[in-house]
Amino acid sequence: SIDIATYRISGDLTIAEDDIAYLQAGTSFLFDGEYNFNIYGTLKAIGTEEDSIIFDNYGAEKWRGFTLENVSNQTEFKYVRISGAVKIMFDGGGGMFMANSNPILTHVTISGNTVYGEVGMGGGMHLYNSNPTLTHVTIANNTADDMHGGGMSLSDSNPTLTHVTISGNTANNGGGMFLAYSSPTL
């Protein structure tokens, strides 16, 4: 369990397989450089309407967003804001990249994130073989620079989106959403 505070992050964060981390309402993680937050275990980031959990930058350097691999629906993001992340890589997902993962996101805002690179996909989030549940989520003002899926990019994924707003995102193909071999429920 992580105490409520504002944390200045100066290195990669990893939740290992079989580990569980609990973040409480009002906690802020401000990344002071190009650092990743990798989840292989379980994250319970449970904020409240009055006290969101914030993931953003500390200074001018941009953090590298979330990477979730083999994460179950035990991982929850509730009343969370994910912003300011930049990824320059093959997988994509400026704010959040999921591979073989099915987390639950409720009352989450994913905004102002960017992905660059030859095949960068999903400025806000990129899903690969993942089926998360998104409810009351806003995906706004993200960029897939010269690529696919400004807001979301889905590859072999079938997420469920309920009361999700996707707006103001930019990309060459699929400014809001780019689908490849995917059947989301909207």
Side-chain angles (χ1 to χ4, degrees):
S1 184
I2 307 299
D3 292 334
I4 300 170
T6 297
Y7 294 93
R8 181 177 175 180
I9 309 300
S10 58
D12 289 339
L13 297 177
T14 299
I15 299 172
E17 187 177 352
D18 298 325
D19 284 351
I20 302 174
Y22 296 91
L23 306 183
Q24 299 177 36
T27 302
S28 295
F29 281 65
L30 304 179
F31 292 80
D32 195 11
E34 298 178 9
Y35 303 117
N36 299 294
F37 196 144
N38 303 305
I39 304 171
Y40 306 104
T42 301
L43 174 65
K44 299 279 191 183
I46 311 295
T48 65
E49 189 171 0
E50 298 78 27
D51 270 329
S52 293
I53 296 172
I54 296 170
F55 299 94
D56 206 338
N57 296 303
Y58 178 81
E61 287 190 76
K62 306 297 183 188
W63 74 298
R64 303 210 48 201
F66 283 97
T67 297
L68 289 75
E69 292 188 25
N70 302 311
V71 169
S72 76
N73 62 4
Q74 294 301 306
T75 290
E76 294 181 72
F77 292 82
K78 187 172 185 179
Y79 288 104
V80 170
R81 188 184 85 205
I82 301 166
S83 55
V86 174
K87 277 193 184 149
I88 304 171
M89 60 186 294
F90 176 79
D91 292 328
M96 184 177 283
F97 170 69
M98 295 181 203
N100 307 307
S101 295
N102 306 312
I104 297 172
L105 285 72
T106 308
H107 294 287
V108 173
T109 298
I110 301 171
S111 65
N113 302 289
T114 303
V115 65
Y116 293 98
E118 271 185 41
V119 287
M121 297 190 295
M125 62 174 24
H126 176 60
L127 281 56
Y128 173 74
N129 196 34
S130 295
N131 306 308
T133 300
L134 285 69
T135 306
H136 294 287
V137 172
T138 299
I139 302 170
N141 305 315
N142 300 287
T143 302
D145 190 51
D146 294 326
M147 289 313 290
H148 309 298
M152 294 180 75
S153 176
L154 283 62
S155 299
D156 298 302
S157 297
N158 304 310
T160 300
L161 286 70
T162 306
H163 298 289
V164 173
T165 300
I166 301 173
S167 67
N169 302 287
T170 59
N172 277 357
N173 295 302
M177 185 183 288
F178 179 81
L179 305 174
Y181 309 105
S182 298
S183 298
T185 299
L186 307 172

